[in-house]
Amino acid sequence: MGDSAPQVGVIMGSQSDWPTMAHAVQILEQFGIAHEVQIVSAHRTPDRLVAYAKSAAERGLQAIIAGAGGAAHLPGMVAAMTRVPVLGVPVQSAALSGVDSLYSIVQMPGGVPVATFAIGKAGATNAGLFTAALLANNDSDLAQKLDTWRAEQTNSVAPHPVREG
């Protein structure tokens, strides 16, 4: 995004994960957070995965949002090779509706953490928002944008239901 060096990496195991991961990217763009987006498959492009993970810190990434479906090894493998915080997004799968992805990402052994979010769109959205909150700790402009966004979200909820009928 833009001319500034990316602060956040958004990676996914395949092109089919994009409709889910686009929600994380949308949040990053909304807050003006410089990011990069790449397909990095744990199973089909293992050398790309190793190179990406091992270079993440030196390239200045502050967080990596990693989405994967099925066996969903991408977030954990990346976390094993970098000190950059990894946020895992389970992508809904055809076989088990994303429960397999969730279990694969959330069940990391002690010592290799992956912050794991909900399956699908909600998880990708929240991973983007969590990343914004993480970066806002050291960025007062971003903190103000996030505070404003949260206030607008609160104000958008009606105090009473619309009664139909």
Side-chain angles (χ1 to χ4, degrees):
M1 171 191 155
D3 295 331
S4 55
Q7 293 181 284
V8 178
V10 178
I11 58 176
M12 62 208 76
S14 69
Q15 178 64 44
S16 63
D17 298 337
W18 173 245
T20 297
M21 299 308 292
H23 297 285
V25 171
Q26 180 182 10
I27 294 293
L28 298 175
E29 289 176 351
Q30 183 175 349
F31 287 104
I33 298 169
H35 61 279
E36 62 187 21
V37 181
Q38 293 187 31
I39 295 174
V40 180
S41 172
H43 304 111
R44 292 172 292 130
T45 64
D47 291 337
R48 187 184 305 169
L49 181 151
V50 171
Y52 188 90
K54 288 190 172 185
S55 69
E58 69 188 35
R59 291 186 301 108
L61 295 184
Q62 300 297 305
I64 298 168
I65 302 172
H73 291 133
L74 179 63
M77 289 301 299
V78 170
M81 289 183 268
T82 184
R83 64 174 162 73
V84 175
V86 175
L87 292 70
V89 177
V91 174
Q92 189 168 3
S93 57
L96 299 171
S97 298
V99 174
D100 50 343
S101 311
L102 174 64
Y103 285 164
S104 293
I105 297 171
V106 80
Q107 284 300 115
M108 291 299 296
V112 186
V114 172
T116 308
F117 292 83
I119 297 167
K121 175 183 175 180
T125 299
N126 284 341
L129 289 167
F130 186 91
T131 299
L134 186 69
L135 296 175
N137 284 323
N138 296 309
D139 182 336
S140 60
D141 290 339
L142 180 56
Q144 181 57 49
K145 287 180 188 177
L146 189 56
D147 289 344
T148 299
W149 185 90
R150 287 181 178 206
E152 289 171 356
Q153 180 179 347
T154 297
N155 293 335
S156 73
V157 177
H160 304 285
V162 175
R163 297 179 186 216
E164 295 180 21

